[in-house]
């Protein structure tokens, strides 16, 4: 596979960011809000892709990292009255710390056992949220007050309930994570992760500490997912236990598989595709899940490595 020059790879990603910026001025109100939500959840998928796509570790527990950021930011605002930046930092810290602890325990296993262990931890986290209903809101969740969702920059106050501010905030987060992901996967560390995915024993023989590298990948992945969760709480004003369920660990896996695992733009494409297929088909029939299922089967048949992954394999081998 031919690798793109750094300038070419970064130009492609900057072009995608510029396109998303331009769309904010032309999209109708409904799609404007939907795309903001998609960008935040694409960050969640990018975090998942870091571990699944580049390290080859299949996790069913990433919903707990997303929810750690979600509740870390949301509860900091609701119960502690923290500002938006402080609450976002709290969400990141919660996700990073949780990822470190889970990584130290779960990486003692591998393969199917790793998947099961992460799912068990996620279920425990979900039950803790329900148990602490007095603080978390339990099944019903909590609404973050609009008055608290204000970003103060010097003498300027930006309300995150404003559609334009919300869209631009989502775009800033998406852009930072996208370019950071590209830098990581093109670095020496990123190549070590791919080597671990392809042949961990050989990577050990070359002198690399595979456990430490995988642990770092878990922490980076969990922190990115937590950033998505914290942004979701602050931008859309809701924290709920549904986001900690196993379903929300399966969704980023689905988005990554659809867009293309181990591709930097695949998570965005997969999230965008899935959201709009569901949105469009549900407007025509109550049996939209049947249509979605057929669409997914056709996609797997004709794009076995995901949309971007198959395009890279067949036509554009330089795509990162």
């Amino acid at each position: 596979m031919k690798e793109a020059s750094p300038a070419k790879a970064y130009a492609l990603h900057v072009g995608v960011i510029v396109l998303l910026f331009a769309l904010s001025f032309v999209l109708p109100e409904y799609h404007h809000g939907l795309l903001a939500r998609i960008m935040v959840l694409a960050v969640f998928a990018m975090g998942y892709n870091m571990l699944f796509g580049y390290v080859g570790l299949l996790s069913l527990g990433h919903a707990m990292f997303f929810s750690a950021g979600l509740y870390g930011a949301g509860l900091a605002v609701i119960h502690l009255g923290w500002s938006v930046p402080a609450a976002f930092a709290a969400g990141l810290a919660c996700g990073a710390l949780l990822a470190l602890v889970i990584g130290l325990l779960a990486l003692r296993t591998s393969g199917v056992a790793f998947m099961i262990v992460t799912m068990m931890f996620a279920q425990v986290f979900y039950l803790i949220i329900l148990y602490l209903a007095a603080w978390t809101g339990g099944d019903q969740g909590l609404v973050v007050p609009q008055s608290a969702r204000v970003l103060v920059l010097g003498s300027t106050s930006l309300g995150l309930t404003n559609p334009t501010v919300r869209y631009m905030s989502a775009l800033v987060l998406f852009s930072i994570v996208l370019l950071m992901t590209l830098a990581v996967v093109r670095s020496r560390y990123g190549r070590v992760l791919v080597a671990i995915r392809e042949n961990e024993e050989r990577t050990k023989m070359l002198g690399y500490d595979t456990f430490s590298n995988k642990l770092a990948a878990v922490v980076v992945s969990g922190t990115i997912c937590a950033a998505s969760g914290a942004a979701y709480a602050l931008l859309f004003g809701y924290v709920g236990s549904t986001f900690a369920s196993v379903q929300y660990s399966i969704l980023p896996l689905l988005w990554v598989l659809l867009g293309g695992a181990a591709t930097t733009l695949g998570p965005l494409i997969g999230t965008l595709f899935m959201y709009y297929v569901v949105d469009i088909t549900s407007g025509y029939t109550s049996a939209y899940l049947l249509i979605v299922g057929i669409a997914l089967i056709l996609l797997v048949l004709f794009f076995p490595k995901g949309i971007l992954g198959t395009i890279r394999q067949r036509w554009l081998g330089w795509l990162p």
Side-chain angles (χ1 to χ4, degrees), residues 143-160:
V143 175
V144 182
Q146 291 189 10
S147 58
R149 292 160 56 200
V150 177
L151 178 61
V152 179
L153 299 175
S155 59
T156 304
S157 297
L158 301 174
L160 298 181

Side-chain angles (χ1 to χ4, degrees), residues 78-208:
I78 296 169
H79 295 304
L80 302 178
W82 288 12
S83 65
V84 167
F88 184 78
L92 285 181
C94 289
L97 181 60
L98 181 63
L100 177 62
V101 173
I102 297 300
L104 286 170
L105 297 173
L107 286 175
R108 297 173 182 270
T109 64
S110 60
V112 176
F114 180 83
M115 177 187 70
I116 294 173
V117 168
T118 53
M119 182 177 66
M120 290 171 59
F121 278 123
Q123 189 64 17
V124 170
F125 189 82
Y126 173 71
L127 293 175
I128 290 174
I129 292 174
L130 296 182
Y131 181 75
L132 299 176
W135 280 81
T136 64
D139 283 328
Q140 295 182 346
L142 297 169
V143 175
V144 182
Q146 291 189 10
S147 58
R149 292 160 56 200
V150 177
L151 178 61
V152 179
L153 299 175
S155 59
T156 304
S157 297
L158 301 174
L160 298 181
T161 56
N162 181 289
T164 301
V165 175
R166 183 168 53 202
Y167 185 97
M168 291 303 172
S169 299
L171 178 59
V172 168
L173 175 65
F174 172 81
S175 302
I176 291 172
V177 174
L178 178 65
L179 295 177
M180 186 197 76
T181 301
L182 177 62
V184 169
V185 301
R186 292 182 63 87
S187 68
R188 180 181 177 182
Y189 171 66
R191 297 177 192 280
V192 172
L193 294 183
V194 173
I196 293 173
R197 181 192 68 194
E198 296 300 320
N199 193 321
E200 184 171 354
E201 291 303 317
R202 182 173 294 179
T203 306
K204 286 182 181 178
M205 291 175 61
L206 292 173
Y208 291 100

Side-chain angles (χ1 to χ4, degrees), residues 8-17 20 42 45-46 49 54 174 178-179 181-182 185 255-256 258-272 307-309 312 318-320:
K8 192 173 183 179
Y10 279 100
L12 171 65
H13 290 69
V14 170
V16 171
I17 293 170
L20 291 171
M46 283 191 280
N49 189 40
Y54 293 100
F174 172 81
L178 178 65
L179 295 177
T181 301
L182 177 62
V185 301
W255 297 333
V256 168
L258 287 175
T263 62
T264 50
L265 290 171
L268 171 64
I269 294 174
T271 309
L272 190 69
I307 297 171
L308 202 61
R312 180 173 65 181
W318 60 268
L319 287 174

